[in-house]
Amino acid sequence: MFLQNAGRIGNVPKKKFLYSRKGPWPQPSPTEPLGTAPEVLHLPWQEVLDFQLHIGLRYMRDLFVCGPAALVKALGFRELPEIPDDALASALTRGLYSRFLAPLDPPDHAKFGLDPSDGALRYKIDFTPIARVDPYEGMYVAPTITLLRREGPTSPTFVVEAVAIGETELVLRPGDGASWELAKYFVLQGCSYGTLFTEHPNVHFPYDTINAITKGSIPTDHLLFQLLHPHLRFSLVLDNAVLQSPASVISEFRHTIYDPFTARASDGLMSFFIAGYKGIRDNAAYPGYRYADSIASLGLPPTDYGRFLESYFGPFHWLTQQVVGAMDDDEMSYCEEWARWIRVWIESFPELPYRHVDAAGKQRTREKLAFALAVMLWDVTVVHSTDHHDFATDIPVEWKCFRLRVPPPVARAGSAVDRGKLSRRIDLFKSHLAHRMFFAPTTVTKLIDTEYDFGTDALRAVHNEFIERLRRVDADLPSRGIKRFIPLGEIAASIQY
Ligand SMILES: [Fe+2]
């Protein structure tokens, strides 16, 4: 049996394991051990080299090639654009930002003076964790809760009805003149930080645990390894660089040339990570990270963006069902142990009992494993790439509002907003540069070109059919009335930016 020999040099020689079983492993985050996903800190030199050759050098090239372009754009900056109410509603709900739509909690009704029995469909977008950010001198942040009304459960039309802003939760509405106009920039600022530090981290970091444990504990000729391995490349080193490198875009040094943010990493930005991963009690906008075990728990927004992402889940689930169906008892026994190790770090990852359960139990375990694998493969490819693509292509840099230099409104009556003072050229320069270096997709390996080391014709045929199913999803989007948020050919095979 494979399992009895795991860890010994015997029937399972060490060479059958990547890095001779001395590979990476998760451990508590050194920054926020109780509040964020585990991190993988000790990285194989082979992966570091691979990352530096394919991604590190690209950062250097972008810095020198795109730096001047960002400078030219910044020099042309005069003022932030006006934000019409309907354009704000559209930006908040048509794409990536619709991930923030959350049902109202009981205190929200009182806050906005709503009658819960009026039958209107309403959502909130809550960026209150930004209150813990301590911005650089002369810059400002403000917690916001935005109230939106939707015409119907599937309607694309939303109306922004109000924003509660600041520690006092001052409620502003579209008729409130200059204060209302100013509040909208702080809502957009919350969208940017919420995306980068709450929503997107849950797409990245929990999967490092599975990445490392797969490399560290599964033989390379195992179907589980063969299925996952093409989707694990670059991610451990990338995530480690983001979270721990002194050269990270999330910097501790205000003058880091490509850091567009309004505070140092240690001055409150981590509060977003914690809110997203641990959740906030009694706040529907921050349920906390849980590994999905059903379509309903994938956390998809009730919008076109959610329909787009969900469209791709089916092909992944079909692929993983076929591969899991082809695993023998020894391979499934490994999966049981693999899940046990993962659950040490991600409690919501499913248990996969196999060796000591009856036939029906074994079948249930195969189904749970197939779903869990589909969640991961779909996340690190489709979800991750689509989030970046939409953030980079649909939201203009001038709408990111990373740095705002006018205080938020504190009363309904406010003086007119001087849009030329909201941000400076240096802020726009950094934002343009970070956009090119870190936010826009920069694909090295594509999902559509993925090669698996499957050793049978049957599984090679499964792979071909998987690609066909992906192509059909992409081709059918227009007839289903769903926007193509990213073309299939641009989806990366792993988290690599
Ligand atoms: Fe990313």
Side-chain angles (χ1 to χ4, degrees):
M1 297 287 284
F2 273 0
L3 196 61
Q4 275 84 1
N5 289 297
R8 296 188 212 153
I9 302 175
N11 294 346
V12 186
K14 276 189 166 185
K15 67 181 180 184
K16 284 201 172 181
F17 292 86
L18 202 62
Y19 313 124
S20 301
R21 283 197 75 108
K22 296 174 183 171
W25 207 255
Q27 62 186 87
S29 158
T31 315
E32 289 288 347
L34 300 179
T36 62
E39 292 183 33
V40 179
L41 300 172
H42 301 287
L43 302 162
W45 65 264
Q46 300 92 325
E47 295 197 21
V48 174
L49 184 63
D50 189 36
F51 175 87
Q52 292 300 353
L53 286 174
H54 291 92
I55 296 174
L57 287 176
R58 197 264 302 161
Y59 287 150
M60 297 302 289
R61 185 200 67 201
D62 285 353
L63 188 57
F64 291 105
V65 173
C66 302
L71 185 61
V72 169
K73 286 178 183 167
L75 288 174
F77 170 74
R78 295 288 175 270
E79 59 186 16
L80 290 187
E82 255 184 281
I83 310 292
D85 292 354
D86 56 349
L88 177 67
S90 173
L92 294 179
T93 58
R94 67 175 176 253
L96 168 68
Y97 290 170
S98 71
R99 281 173 163 283
F100 296 120
L101 291 170
L104 302 189
D105 291 304
D108 300 317
H109 290 98
K111 189 177 304 159
F112 292 108
L114 300 174
D115 174 4
S117 65
D118 70 359
L121 178 57
R122 288 190 172 89
Y123 299 88
K124 67 172 172 177
I125 291 181
D126 178 327
F127 295 125
T128 48
I130 205 170
R132 296 182 65 184
V133 173
D134 181 16
Y136 298 128
E137 193 176 345
M139 298 181 199
Y140 301 89
V141 298
T144 58
I145 301 174
T146 301
L147 179 70
L148 298 106
R149 180 168 43 81
R150 190 177 197 178
E151 288 193 353
T154 58
S155 170
T157 306
F158 292 76
V159 176
V160 179
E161 291 190 318
V163 174
I165 188 166
E167 301 288 352
T168 61
E169 298 191 322
L170 170 69
V171 175
L172 297 168
R173 301 179 194 275
D176 287 332
S179 291
W180 171 251
E181 295 304 316
L182 181 56
K184 289 187 277 188
Y185 296 97
F186 286 92
V187 173
L188 289 174
Q189 182 185 57
C191 287
S192 295
Y193 286 98
T195 297
L196 295 176
F197 297 130
T198 295
E199 184 273 323
H200 204 60
N202 283 348
V203 175
H204 269 245
F205 303 121
Y207 299 92
D208 284 350
T209 288
I210 304 173
N211 187 321
I213 289 176
T214 303
K215 289 169 179 166
S217 70
I218 302 296
T220 54
D221 58 359
H222 191 301
L223 281 180
L224 179 68
F225 185 92
Q226 291 169 350
L227 176 68
L228 291 183
H229 192 234
H231 304 288
L232 308 180
R233 190 174 171 191
F234 303 123
S235 311
L236 291 182
V237 186
L238 175 86
D239 286 351
N240 179 254
V242 169
L243 294 172
Q244 300 300 335
S245 168
S248 171
V249 65
I250 314 171
S251 167
E252 288 294 345
F253 179 54
R254 175 174 180 167
H255 301 292
T256 301
I257 191 169
Y258 43 72
D259 171 5
F261 303 130
T262 194
R264 297 184 307 163
S266 57
D267 283 340
L269 290 180
M270 290 306 290
S271 61
F272 279 98
F273 280 76
I274 297 167
Y277 190 71
K278 292 279 286 184
I280 298 176
R281 187 188 298 242
D282 299 327
N283 187 335
Y286 293 90
Y289 177 80
R290 284 193 60 77
Y291 201 94
D293 59 4
S294 64
I295 295 285
S297 62
L298 288 173
L300 295 168
T303 59
D304 230 23
Y305 196 75
R307 291 176 67 208
F308 173 85
L309 296 178
E310 186 178 350
S311 300
Y312 274 107
F313 190 81
F316 284 94
H317 195 198
W318 179 84
L319 170 70
T320 57
Q321 286 171 317
Q322 308 312 305
V323 175
V324 171
M327 288 183 187
D328 60 26
D329 285 345
D330 281 339
E331 288 176 307
M332 286 303 300
S333 298
Y334 262 103
C335 291
E336 180 176 2
E337 287 300 287
W338 171 80
R340 189 173 65 80
W341 284 317
I342 292 170
R343 281 170 50 78
V344 170
W345 302 99
I346 303 176
E347 290 177 8
S348 52
F349 194 81
E351 276 186 273
L352 299 174
Y354 193 83
R355 285 167 293 173
H356 307 297
V357 297
D358 61 15
K362 284 179 169 35
Q363 185 53 34
R364 278 196 298 278
T365 290
R366 286 184 185 270
E367 288 166 10
K368 283 199 289 181
L369 173 60
F371 196 90
L373 290 169
V375 168
M376 172 157 181
L377 296 185
W378 169 79
D379 177 280
V380 303
T381 57
V382 173
V383 179
H384 178 263
S385 292
T386 308
D387 277 6
H388 272 268
H389 193 272
D390 202 57
F391 190 62
T393 60
D394 191 50
I395 308 298
V397 168
E398 291 77 11
W399 282 53
K400 298 284 197 310
C401 301
F402 284 120
R403 290 178 167 185
L404 291 174
R405 294 173 183 266
V406 172
V410 291
R412 281 207 181 80
S415 46
V417 180
D418 181 347
R419 288 185 282 112
K421 292 200 169 141
L422 282 167
S423 289
R424 293 183 185 165
R425 290 193 177 103
I426 182 66
D427 306 331
L428 271 291
F429 167 74
K430 286 167 172 257
S431 196
H432 278 290
L433 190 52
H435 173 94
R436 184 64 189 84
M437 291 179 69
F438 305 107
F439 307 149
T442 46
T443 304
V444 181
T445 57
K446 295 180 178 178
L447 171 63
I448 204 77
D449 297 331
T450 303
E451 299 281 352
Y452 300 102
D453 285 338
F454 294 146
T456 66
D457 288 343
L459 283 175
R460 282 190 282 272
V462 164
H463 176 209
N464 292 337
E465 172 63 19
F466 168 60
I467 298 296
E468 273 314 300
R469 287 179 183 231
L470 292 176
R471 289 191 200 283
R472 278 206 291 279
V473 169
D474 184 67
D476 290 348
L477 290 169
S479 65
R480 297 176 59 206
I482 302 174
K483 178 184 168 185
R484 183 177 283 112
F485 284 92
I486 184 172
L488 172 60
E490 294 182 26
I491 297 175
S494 64
I495 290 178
Q496 47 195 252
Y497 45 82

